Amino acid sequence: GLQRPPSHAASISVAVVRIRIRCAMGPSCCSGMRLRSRITIEDVRVSRLTLRFPSAGLESGYRSNSLQRVLRNFALFNLAIFGAAVFHNAGRSFEESAYQSALHFQIGNYNAAATGLLGISGLLAALAARAQMRWHLVSPLAVEVSIVILSLWQMAWCIVTEDWYLAKMLGHADPRQALQKTDFSDTWLVLVIDTSITVMHFVVAIRWVVLWPITILGAVLYPVSCFILGSPEAAPETLQLTLFALVIVSALGKRAVEVTERRAFVQLLRERTLRAETEFRMNRLAAG
């Protein structure tokens, strides 16, 4: 009888790789039938819009193949957020002697609370990512959705950690006069948003198809904040256009990288499948 193929061949998902045994007629009908085996990856062309594979099994295999890397990098990124929040609040605690009014203390307390909440969320996210890496608590799709939701919240919450926008939210039309401060700037806020976009696209690097909410929020968060609350910048349009250009470049770069990764993934499956089939044929010949 036929022997089973080697154990590593069984690791290739049947939903991903399909072995078709096609019958082909010989040169003449009298020569009978001969079997010709061919391994086929199910339609590996990706969607131009979402970059997904048409085959659900192949798409699931690609997502699972990179999940551990995504979780590890996401945990490191959120640990960095936690460290930055601790450093920020520690630095502000030394500035309390410079507060000149009750509003300064109020803004300082709100800022410290918002930054602290951001840091705690980063720490909890890092712990959750490590737990998922070890115990596989939820599905890979649930992991990606959770990463997107948390990243959206963290990005939006950065607005609340800035004194100008906090004063605006508290009803002060002119934060410069209310706080007796003139060195407000949105440069750091644009830098934080761009850093988040870059990290999510190229370091955490979840799939393109689930990244679009982060891309959209990164492009519109700062312009919408300027429109609703006002900006301390004399010409915020320059920063808005710069941020929009950076987001577009990141999105296009991520798309190009993922196309390359998907092609490499399919090539790897082809090579493993051909090796498995070759060993299976050798086992059949050895068995007689």
Side-chain angles (χ1 to χ4, degrees):
L2 296 180
Q3 297 182 4
R4 296 183 61 183
S7 59
H8 71 270
S11 64
I12 301 176
S13 173
V14 177
V16 176
V17 180
R18 183 174 58 202
I19 300 179
R20 294 178 178 174
I21 306 298
R22 292 190 172 184
C23 294
M25 293 296 295
S28 67
C29 296
C30 297
S31 63
M33 300 281 290
R34 62 184 178 89
L35 292 179
R36 182 178 60 191
S37 63
R38 189 181 71 175
I39 296 178
T40 305
I41 304 294
E42 296 192 28
D43 196 6
V44 297
R45 293 175 298 177
V46 298
S47 168
R48 291 186 177 182
L49 179 63
T50 65
L51 300 187
R52 285 176 55 91
F53 291 115
S55 167
L58 191 58
E59 183 66 26
S60 177
Y62 172 78
R63 179 177 57 207
S64 300
N65 187 58
S66 60
L67 185 62
Q68 292 297 311
R69 181 198 63 192
V70 167
L71 289 169
R72 181 178 62 254
N73 293 343
F74 185 67
L76 292 175
F77 177 53
N78 278 275
L79 284 177
I81 291 177
F82 174 72
V86 172
F87 179 80
H88 175 82
N89 279 350
R92 285 189 69 98
S93 66
F94 292 104
E95 301 176 2
E96 291 185 357
S97 59
Y99 292 161
Q100 302 172 1
S101 66
L103 179 61
H104 284 82
F105 282 103
Q106 185 182 23
I107 293 293
N109 290 335
Y110 277 130
N111 189 300
T115 306
L117 187 58
L118 187 64
I120 291 173
S121 70
L123 179 61
L124 293 177
L127 294 175
R130 296 298 299 180
Q132 174 66 21
M133 292 175 64
R134 183 170 183 177
W135 293 300
H136 307 287
L137 303 175
V138 296
S139 67
L141 179 60
V143 170
E144 289 182 326
V145 172
S146 300
I147 289 175
V148 169
I149 292 175
L150 181 62
S151 299
L152 292 173
W153 180 85
Q154 289 175 336
M155 195 184 304
W157 195 250
C158 289
I159 297 291
V160 191
T161 64
E162 209 283 324
D163 289 354
W164 171 276
Y165 294 99
L166 273 173
K168 283 283 192 175
M169 293 176 188
L170 293 174
H172 297 276
D174 188 359
R176 291 187 179 90
Q177 182 179 0
L179 295 173
Q180 296 298 308
K181 182 179 177 181
T182 60
D183 58 344
F184 292 105
S185 176
D186 282 343
T187 304
W188 78 271
L189 183 59
V190 172
L191 179 61
V192 168
I193 295 174
D194 180 56
T195 300
S196 299
I197 292 292
T198 303
V199 169
M200 293 306 300
H201 280 70
F202 297 107
V203 179
V204 178
I206 57 178
R207 292 177 303 152
W208 165 274
V209 70
V210 294
L211 263 179
W212 62 267
I214 297 177
T215 304
I216 292 176
L217 182 65
V220 305
L221 177 62
Y222 176 61
V224 170
S225 300
C226 292
F227 178 77
I228 297 176
L229 299 173
S231 171
E233 299 288 341
E237 296 82 7
T238 302
L239 286 177
Q240 293 171 8
L241 291 175
T242 301
L243 178 61
F244 183 78
L246 291 172
V247 170
I248 294 300
V249 169
S250 296
L252 294 178
K254 164 62 179 175
R255 182 181 178 89
V257 169
E258 183 166 323
V259 168
T260 302
E261 289 179 345
R262 286 175 178 270
R263 288 174 178 172
F265 175 72
V266 169
Q267 183 62 30
L268 178 63
L269 285 180
R270 283 194 175 121
E271 293 174 357
R272 288 183 177 180
T273 304
L274 289 174
R275 183 176 62 185
E277 186 192 35
T278 300
E279 294 186 6
F280 181 67
R281 287 177 174 176
M282 292 177 63
N283 288 336
R284 286 202 306 176
L285 292 174

